[in-house]
């Protein structure tokens, strides 16, 4: 047998070699579950001679799918290619692209993202004349999503809501929303799962085809499957029952998206006779990191107790650093990364946080210090206005049935087709049950359009021309045509602002992406493929490991990944755990946050740093923040808290403080943690040395103490002005366009000869006057 299986422990081998019948691997973080899955695929192909196309492996993110495909390719070579490795959602897209016509869609249906959903919902609420204060688009969409994930149809929702006025209204909205999606030949993300279940349940022959094909099914991160996903697995596996699922009940963090932890806890009931394997050795983290993880998660009640140990070295203690402000915190992290550059590459480091909003301050510090980083999630590239506009043009050219897409671009760039004309067309479309685009082509029959009629005719003509061009153009060339022929590019060029420049760069990036398709000019399906890929770019997909950049992402996106050096930022009560979970009457909400904390801690391989701020701006207001209760749950001996040792009598205080820090660890004075000593606090920081310091923002500016480290030019000592030629270490020579006196520092806008226009903080840019 191939030696690759020697690198597995006995328990992992058991999970790999038990190929027939249902198998559950329930084990803690970093115990090699994912590794066992990839080796199982190799084993099936190499030792059991299973055909690769008879194997289906489901992962949680596209990123994880790509990683698994890579690992499988490494293990079994080219054969691995025909193994079906995908997320639930992309698997469903692939299946529905073949069969959606059976359900009354055309197979080139559109996939709506969150923004599309919101636009549609707002239209529906308006049309139904519902008070937007009482019926909020987001809240309603999340109710509908929850129902869909539990496979509750709008009809069933109607029945269940009988007698309750508000629920009845929501049921009506749900019904209308479904009707509109179908009219637009569109599915939202939840539909992808729901329609696949519908397909399998109503077309047994289709189900049978896939059951025959997927003789061996493997599912990673099974603890986060929801009802619809469970149903898909169950339907596909119920004949052959060769199903292997792996997961960790302590890492179930998607309850808010309908994940149902009972799917993994009841696996043996759903698939009687299942063999259950537990992995207990962690291969990922140091002893110290693992002890911290265990220290936190053991506070959850009613969990399946698991033993998790490691042979790895003890490692450094876990750091906990409390900063004055979120800016200080971000700067402290940036500086710590920079200080450890000789032992850790940028790409070894990840900064994790609870909410996307926290990324802004972090990003600011990364930019100011010229540290390459990659933001995963947040304002996704595809959420940008200009990108969405172009995607909507493509959708209109590909499939005029997507009303929202057509409405988005009909007056972009401005064509003199105003809101009134658009609403006349919408009314006409409604009246005759036609799509918005079809109504546009019928403009001559729409009453009182006036001069807008001719404009609409022009627009329709332009789309028709693009459609005929699309037949013999690559997607890249089609994009270029759209940009030029519609005047979109010219308008941005004429604007000559930084924003328009950025937009043009983003559009270039989209064109680059299209060029990556390498499609032939006459490839009729290339456009659909492109749109599909774009719709499925999950948040975590932008993570490209070859690039040497620090990764910034939410804790949720980090699931399943690992990094040598991890920072968990914003460890503050009310932020993490979230205020909602603290206030919730349901204890399990707080437990879900604790699992999220466990996920975060266990991403770290060698070094973990926990950070928090004493004050933080939330929704424009400065709030005093308490350290997270999760910090207090960690046995104090496991934590290294700079400044904690100032408990010692005066005189020995500083010596004691520094002795608790390892070489290279941030020093109190340089990191804005000086308040530990400065306020004479005698309590261990993690046990609540917290003291509100409302005026801390004014007391000292970050730049002041940053100066010690970076020897910044003091604000005010700029020796260059607007119009001067300057040189930057990285970007080369350029001309100063603008100097703004920002709150913390001067912000300098420079047009670099090579690198283009950049906005920089004066202290860090260190521009040299030429
Ligand atoms: N038997 C083994 N020998 C050596 N290294 C191993 C072994 N099993 C797993 N590893 C390594 O340990 C790390 C964690 O493995 P893996 O990602 O498969 O764990 P996991 O259980 O899936 O974790 P998570 O719960 O976070 O998804 C990886 O770097 C993997 O290569
Ligand atoms: Mg894993």
């Amino acid at each position: 047998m191939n030696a690759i299986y020697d690198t597995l422990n006995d328990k992992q081998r058991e999970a790999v070699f038990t190929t027939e019948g249902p198998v559950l691997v329930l084990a803690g973080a970093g115990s090699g579950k994912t590794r066992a899955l990839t080796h199982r695929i190799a084993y099936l192909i190499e030792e059991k001679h299973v055909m690769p196309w008879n194997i289906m492996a489901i992962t949680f993110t596209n990123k994880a799918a790509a990683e698994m495909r890579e690992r499988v390719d490494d293990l079994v070579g080219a054969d691995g290619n025909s193994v079906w490795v995908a997320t639930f959602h992309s698997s469903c897209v692939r299946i529905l692209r073949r069969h959606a016509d059976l359900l009354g869609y055309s197979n080139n249906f559109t996939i709506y993202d969150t923004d599309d959903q919101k636009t549609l919902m707002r239209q529906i609420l308006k049309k139904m004349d519902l008070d937007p204060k009482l019926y909020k688009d987001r809240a309603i969409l999340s109710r509908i999503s929850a129902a869909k994930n539990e496979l509750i149809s709008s009809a069933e929702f109607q029945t269940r809501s009988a007698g309750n006025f508000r629920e009845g209204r929501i049921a009506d909205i749900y019904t209308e929303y479904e009707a509109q999606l179908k009219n637009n030949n569109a599915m939202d993300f939840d539909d992808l799962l729901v329609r696949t279940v519908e397909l399998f349940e109503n077309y047994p022959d289709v189900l049978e085809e896939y059951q025959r094909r997927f003789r061996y099914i493997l599912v990673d991160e099974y603890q986060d499957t929801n009802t619809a996903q469970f149903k898909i697995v169950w339907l596909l596996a119920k004949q052959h029952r060769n199903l292997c699922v792996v997961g960790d009940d302590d890492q179930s963090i998607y309850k808010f998206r309908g994940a149902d932890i009972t799917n993994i806890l009841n696996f043996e009931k759903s698939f009687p006779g299942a063999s259950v394997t537990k992995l207990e050795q962690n291969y990922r983290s140091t002893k110290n990191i693992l002890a911290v993880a265990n220290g936190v998660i053991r506070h959850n009640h009613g969990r399946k107790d698991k033993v998790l140990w490691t042979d790895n070295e003890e490692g450094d203690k876990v750091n906990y650093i409390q900063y004055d402000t979120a800016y200080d915190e971000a700067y402290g992290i940036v500086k710590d990364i920079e200080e450890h550059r000789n032992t850790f590459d940028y790409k070894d480091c990840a900064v994790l946080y609870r909410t996307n909003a926290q990324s802004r301050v972090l990003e600011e510090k990364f930019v100011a210090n010229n540290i390459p980083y990659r933001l995963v999630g947040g304002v996704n590239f595809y959420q940008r206005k200009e990108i969405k506009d172009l995607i909507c043009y493509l959708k209109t050219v590909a499939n005029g049935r997507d009303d929202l897409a057509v409405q988005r671009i009909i007056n972009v760039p401005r064509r003199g087709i105003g809101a009134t004309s658009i609403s006349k067309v919408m009314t006409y479309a409604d009246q005759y049950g036609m799509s918005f685009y079809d109504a546009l082509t019928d403009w001559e029959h729409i009453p009182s359009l006036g001069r807008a009629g001719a404009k609409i005719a022009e627009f329709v003509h332009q789309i028709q021309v693009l459609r005929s061009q699309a037949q013999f153009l690559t997607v890249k060339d089609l994009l270029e045509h759209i940009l030029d022929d519609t005047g979109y590019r010219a308008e941005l060029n004429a604007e000559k602002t930084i924003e328009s420049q950025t937009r043009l760069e983003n559009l270039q990036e989209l064109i680059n992406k299209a060029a990556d398709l390498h499609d032939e000019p006459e490839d009729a399906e290339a456009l659909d493929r492109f749109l599909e890929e774009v719709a499925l770019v999950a948040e975590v997909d932008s993570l490209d490991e070859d690039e040497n950049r620090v990764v910034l992402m939410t804790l949720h996106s980090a699931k399943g990944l690992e990094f040598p050096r991890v920072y968990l930022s914003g460890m503050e009560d009310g932020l993490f755990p979230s205020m909602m979970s603290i206030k919730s009457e349901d204890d399990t909400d707080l437990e879900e946050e604790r699992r999220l904390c466990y996920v975060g801690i266990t991403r770290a391989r060698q070094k973990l740093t926990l950070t928090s701020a004493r004050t933080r701006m939330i929704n424009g207001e400065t709030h005093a923040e308490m350290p997270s209760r999760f910090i207090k749950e960690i046995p104090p001996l496991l934590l290294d808290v700079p400044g904690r040792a100032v408990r010692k009598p005066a005189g020995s205080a500083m010596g004691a403080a520094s002795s608790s820090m390892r070489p290279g660890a941030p020093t109190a004075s340089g990191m804005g943690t000086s308040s530990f000593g400065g306020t004479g606090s005698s309590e261990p920081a993690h046990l609540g040395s917290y003291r509100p310091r409302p005026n801390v923002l004014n007391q000292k500016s970050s730049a002041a103490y940053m100066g010690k480290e970076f020897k910044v030019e003091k604000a005010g000592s700029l020796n260059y002005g607007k119009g001067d030629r300057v040189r930057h270490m990285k970007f080369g020579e350029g001309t100063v366009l603008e100097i703004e006196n920002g709150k913390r520092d001067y912000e300098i806008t420079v047009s670099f000869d090579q690198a283009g226009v950049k906005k920089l903080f004066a202290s860090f840019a260190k521009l040299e006057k030429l």
Side-chain angles (χ1 to χ4, degrees):
M1 202 192 307
N2 195 318
I4 55 170
Y5 308 107
D6 298 346
T7 64
L8 300 173
N9 65 33
D10 288 351
K11 289 287 180 186
Q12 287 173 324
R13 267 200 288 265
E14 185 181 302
V16 170
F17 297 166
T18 313
T19 57
E20 309 304 301
V23 174
L24 165 66
V25 179
L26 187 62
S31 58
K33 297 181 295 294
T34 304
R35 185 171 164 121
L37 276 194
T38 48
H39 282 71
R40 186 180 165 93
I41 296 174
Y43 183 77
L44 285 167
I45 296 172
E46 293 199 325
E47 307 296 330
K48 292 280 160 172
H49 308 293
V50 174
M51 292 301 161
W53 55 87
N54 287 144
I55 302 172
M56 176 192 227
I58 302 279
T59 61
F60 204 76
T61 57
N62 289 331
K63 156 88 184 137
E67 212 164 79
M68 180 162 302
R69 153 128 358 258
E70 211 170 280
R71 290 204 215 173
V72 170
D73 286 352
D74 285 351
L75 291 176
V76 298
D79 271 1
N81 263 334
S82 34
V83 178
W84 179 297
V85 184
T87 64
F88 272 109
H89 287 92
S90 49
S91 297
C92 291
V93 176
R94 271 154 84 176
I95 293 166
L96 291 168
R97 286 278 177 235
R98 288 185 59 207
H99 307 287
D101 53 334
L102 295 172
L103 305 173
Y105 294 82
S106 71
N107 288 348
N108 68 344
F109 59 87
T110 308
I111 302 167
Y112 275 3
D113 65 13
T114 335
D115 273 9
D116 299 329
Q117 285 179 285
K118 272 193 224 153
T119 313
L120 178 60
M121 184 50 71
R122 282 195 288 264
Q123 278 183 9
I124 290 171
L125 295 175
K126 201 166 159 203
K127 193 163 146 194
M128 294 176 71
D129 211 12
L130 291 167
D131 182 350
K133 286 206 191 71
L134 296 177
Y135 297 89
K136 296 212 162 77
D137 49 15
R138 275 176 59 177
I140 306 244
L141 281 168
S142 89
R143 287 293 308 277
I144 293 178
S145 172
K148 284 188 178 184
N149 283 318
E150 283 184 48
L151 296 173
I152 299 168
S153 66
S154 55
E156 194 175 339
F157 203 114
Q158 289 280 6
T159 319
R160 288 187 187 196
S161 62
N164 180 325
F165 179 78
R166 188 181 158 84
E167 287 297 289
R169 274 283 94 103
I170 295 176
D172 293 342
I173 301 169
Y174 184 6
T175 308
E176 180 63 19
Y177 175 73
E178 293 289 84
Q180 290 295 335
L181 281 174
K182 200 138 190 184
N183 276 346
N184 289 351
N185 193 32
M187 299 196 195
D188 63 20
F189 265 62
D190 303 320
D191 275 337
L192 298 174
L193 305 172
V194 175
R195 301 299 155 221
T196 304
V197 173
E198 187 183 330
L199 175 75
F200 286 164
E201 286 189 325
N202 294 314
Y203 297 88
D205 47 327
V206 175
L207 174 61
E208 219 179 293
E209 181 194 330
Y210 286 102
Q211 284 174 336
R212 265 201 309 273
R213 167 154 184 197
F214 300 132
R215 279 182 47 218
Y216 293 86
I217 300 177
L218 304 84
V219 186
D220 200 359
E221 307 278 1
Y222 189 70
Q223 76 278 359
D224 276 324
T225 46
N226 60 34
T227 304
Q229 290 165 332
F230 168 78
K231 196 65 181 264
I232 291 170
V233 172
W234 188 81
L235 286 165
L236 284 172
K238 71 176 180 178
Q239 289 304 327
H240 53 68
R241 302 179 83 245
N242 299 325
L243 169 67
C244 173
V245 306
V246 310
D248 176 4
D249 48 326
D250 285 334
Q251 292 185 69
S252 167
I253 54 173
Y254 275 95
K255 194 173 80 173
F256 71 100
R257 278 202 207 150
D260 186 352
I261 199 167
T262 56
N263 285 339
I264 195 161
L265 298 178
N266 292 341
F267 185 78
E268 294 161 79
K269 282 199 197 115
S270 319
F271 294 92
S275 99
V276 181
T277 301
K278 293 192 170 155
L279 308 176
E280 297 182 338
Q281 180 170 2
N282 170 298
Y283 290 91
R284 179 180 293 147
S285 310
T286 63
K287 286 196 175 64
N288 272 322
I289 292 170
L290 200 59
V292 167
N294 286 335
V296 171
I297 196 66
R298 75 187 168 83
H299 287 82
N300 268 7
H301 299 288
R303 54 185 281 266
K304 283 199 170 184
D305 211 12
K306 288 193 294 281
V307 190
L308 200 55
W309 57 276
T310 184
D311 237 359
N312 293 346
E313 58 182 33
E314 192 119 348
D316 285 347
K317 275 198 178 176
V318 170
N319 278 93
Y320 169 54
I321 309 174
Q322 201 185 18
Y323 295 93
D324 284 342
T325 70
Y327 284 98
D328 297 345
E329 179 191 33
Y331 177 68
I333 291 173
V334 162
K335 196 170 143 286
D336 197 52
I337 290 173
E338 200 52 50
E339 264 176 18
H340 292 87
R341 271 280 279 155
N342 43 359
T343 32
F344 293 89
D345 266 342
Y346 289 138
K347 68 171 182 320
D348 292 339
C349 305
V351 185
L352 310 180
Y353 38 82
R354 177 68 182 84
T355 63
N356 269 313
Q358 286 166 257
S359 70
R360 190 187 58 80
V361 173
L362 285 162
E363 268 193 283
E364 248 176 69
K365 292 294 171 208
F366 275 86
V367 171
N369 290 285
N370 285 328
I371 295 189
Y373 71 93
R374 180 168 292 272
L375 183 71
V376 178
V379 180
N380 188 306
F381 180 72
Y382 292 99
Q383 300 293 322
R384 294 175 198 278
K385 176 192 181 301
E386 66 278 15
I387 302 301
K388 293 204 81 166
D389 286 346
L390 261 283
I391 298 288
C392 286
Y393 265 106
L394 288 180
K395 280 182 181 172
T396 306
V397 173
N399 162 15
R401 289 177 62 186
D402 187 348
D403 290 356
L404 293 183
V406 185
Q407 285 158 19
R408 182 181 174 101
I409 49 121
I410 186 164
N411 203 30
V412 178
R414 270 190 210 99
R415 297 187 171 88
I417 306 172
T420 329
S421 310
I422 293 176
S423 96
K424 280 178 194 152
V425 180
M426 279 165 83
T427 314
Y428 183 84
D430 260 353
Q431 201 176 344
Y432 292 94
M434 48 169 73
S435 75
F436 182 78
Y437 185 78
D438 285 345
L440 287 175
T441 61
D442 220 352
W443 63 273
E444 282 165 298
H445 298 111
I446 303 177
S448 58
L449 273 182
R451 268 191 296 175
K455 312 273 184 206
I456 290 175
E458 258 175 59
F459 172 74
V460 168
H461 176 71
Q462 194 159 53
I463 296 296
Q464 306 291 30
V465 171
L466 285 165
R467 274 185 187 173
S468 56
Q469 287 174 333
Q471 312 283 325
F472 54 85
L473 288 177
T474 60
V475 177
K476 171 182 175 290
D477 289 345
L478 177 62
L479 275 169
E480 300 270 14
H481 267 267
I482 294 173
L483 280 173
D484 288 331
D485 299 356
T486 60
Y488 199 101
R489 181 155 25 212
E491 191 174 271
L492 286 178
N493 273 330
E495 224 181 290
K496 286 203 169 55
T497 61
I498 294 189
E499 280 83 345
S500 65
Q501 184 72 25
T502 313
R503 288 185 200 285
L504 284 165
E505 280 169 19
N506 288 338
L507 288 168
Q508 190 53 48
E509 191 59 39
L510 183 70
I511 291 172
N512 294 345
K513 174 156 173 79
D516 273 345
L517 275 180
H518 296 297
D519 50 331
E520 296 295 324
E522 308 225 23
D523 181 353
E525 275 156 28
L527 181 54
D528 284 344
R529 276 209 313 276
F530 182 72
L531 287 172
E532 189 173 299
E533 235 184 273
V534 166
L536 282 174
V537 192
E539 294 175 349
V540 82
D541 291 343
S542 47
L543 184 59
D544 175 356
E545 254 164 31
D546 296 337
E547 289 191 65
N548 195 14
R549 293 158 183 257
V550 178
V551 174
L552 311 188
M553 64 177 148
T554 62
L555 288 150
H556 278 99
S557 317
K559 196 168 67 145
L561 306 179
E562 59 186 23
F563 300 89
R565 197 173 182 90
V566 170
Y567 298 83
L568 289 194
S569 66
M571 297 294 296
E572 293 146 35
D573 250 28
L575 186 60
F576 189 35
S578 71
M579 194 49 85
M580 219 155 78
S581 70
I582 293 174
K583 285 192 178 155
S584 167
E585 285 168 14
D586 184 353
D587 284 350
T588 65
D589 289 336
L590 195 61
E591 300 213 335
E592 172 129 333
E593 294 282 304
R594 195 175 282 111
R595 288 193 291 271
L596 191 55
C597 186
Y598 174 77
V599 167
I601 294 168
T602 54
R603 298 310 95 200
R605 294 177 63 176
Q606 292 160 32
K607 180 70 200 176
L608 175 67
T609 302
L610 311 169
T611 64
S612 67
R614 290 191 179 80
T615 59
R616 185 178 295 273
M617 286 274 257
I618 296 170
N619 298 330
E621 281 174 38
T622 306
H623 286 255
E625 298 283 287
M626 295 283 277
S628 169
R629 63 193 65 198
F630 299 148
I631 298 278
K632 296 178 195 167
E633 289 172 3
I634 301 170
L637 278 175
L638 294 173
L639 283 184
D640 187 350
V641 184
R644 181 158 68 182
V646 289
R647 230 182 209 300
K648 294 270 165 67
S652 64
M654 280 330 287
S658 49
S659 71
S660 77
M661 284 178 270
R662 290 156 301 95
T667 62
S669 59
M671 298 291 291
T673 50
S674 56
S675 54
F676 283 111
T679 56
S681 163
S682 62
E683 281 164 308
H686 79 290
L687 289 178
S689 68
Y690 165 81
R691 204 155 293 182
R693 292 162 53 93
N695 56 349
V696 72
L697 284 172
N698 309 328
Q699 265 183 3
K700 70 178 173 191
S701 85
S702 302
Y705 68 79
M706 281 175 195
K708 287 184 192 147
E709 318 299 329
F710 281 81
K711 296 199 175 48
V712 298
E713 297 165 61
K714 284 269 178 298
S717 69
L718 296 178
N719 63 346
Y720 47 83
K722 232 166 123 170
D724 279 350
R725 294 284 295 167
V726 289
R727 182 185 292 123
H728 182 269
M729 222 163 58
K730 192 165 134 204
F731 302 130
E733 294 183 10
T735 307
V736 177
L737 294 183
E738 198 68 59
I739 299 181
E740 285 163 75
N741 195 353
K743 258 194 205 140
R744 319 179 65 80
D745 196 355
Y746 283 101
E747 293 173 18
I748 319 291
T749 308
V750 183
S751 169
F752 290 102
D753 304 345
Q754 304 297 329
V757 178
K758 308 265 176 211
K759 204 168 194 171
L760 307 161
F761 286 106
S763 333
F764 298 104
K766 292 186 200 143
L767 296 170
E768 185 191 331
K769 188 173 177 212
L770 295 179

